[in-house]
Amino acid sequence: MKTVITFGTFDVFHVGHLNILTRARALGDRLIVGVSSDALNITKKGRAPIYSDAERMQIIASLKCVDGVFAEHSLARKGDYIREHQADILVMGDDWLGRFDGYKTICEVIYLPRTPSISTTSIIEVVKGS
Ligand code: C2G
């Protein structure tokens, strides 16, 4: 039984998010997703996400490819989350390439290519401009 773990904000859920989650799940037998909390986003990006963490977790938990979700409160606690969920593989998009190599001592670390031409930021820009 191989457990895959991944992390993200997944704000204004789009097909790029779905693609990485589907591909992450295909690398193992179960997929656990750490959804970053609103407070973490305010620290990390200087603004709250459009959707609250409760809503983002509800969306992610409803996906066929996802077996469990939890709130990610701190970027620095990734090692604890990996151990708590007994993850064998950490998957991240390649915008994070190399950033999590330190966890290779406790699990396999795989970076998957991002889906081109779509992002939460670009969706927000289009909606704002309309
Ligand atoms: N992603 C993707 N293709 C896109 C957009 C996003 O593959 N077009 C991936 C990202 O690479 C990431 C995941 O979807 O692996 C979630 O993206 P974000 O919501 O932007 O997550 P981020 O804010 O980078 O949070 O601990 C790490 C953070 O919580 C990651």
Side-chain angles (χ1 to χ4, degrees), residues 13-121:
F13 192 80
H14 60 66
V15 76
H17 296 143
L18 184 60
N19 286 340
I20 197 161
L21 293 172
T22 308
R23 286 177 296 161
R25 174 62 179 77
L27 294 171
D29 305 298
R30 57 196 283 266
L31 175 64
I32 306 296
V33 184
V35 176
S36 61
S37 69
D38 293 339
L40 175 55
N41 270 273
I42 291 166
T43 322
K44 199 171 67 168
K45 297 183 181 168
R47 64 164 181 88
I50 306 283
Y51 300 162
S52 71
D53 42 25
E55 291 166 337
R56 289 180 287 112
M57 286 175 71
Q58 193 184 344
I59 291 168
I60 302 299
S62 75
L63 299 172
K64 249 195 329 208
C65 58
V66 172
D67 301 285
V69 296
F70 65 95
E72 178 191 27
H73 294 290
S74 157
L75 294 180
R77 287 197 52 209
K78 239 179 216 71
D80 297 334
Y81 297 131
I82 292 168
R83 277 184 286 264
E84 273 165 32
H85 295 280
Q86 301 185 339
D88 303 286
I89 308 173
L90 167 63
V91 167
M92 292 300 299
D94 63 2
D95 46 327
W96 291 94
L97 191 65
R99 298 273 297 278
F100 299 116
D101 285 357
Y103 299 110
K104 285 184 176 169
T105 51
I106 55 170
C107 66
E108 198 178 335
V109 179
I110 298 177
Y111 302 96
L112 294 177
R114 276 171 70 92
T115 300
S117 315
I118 186 155
S119 70
T120 299
T121 311

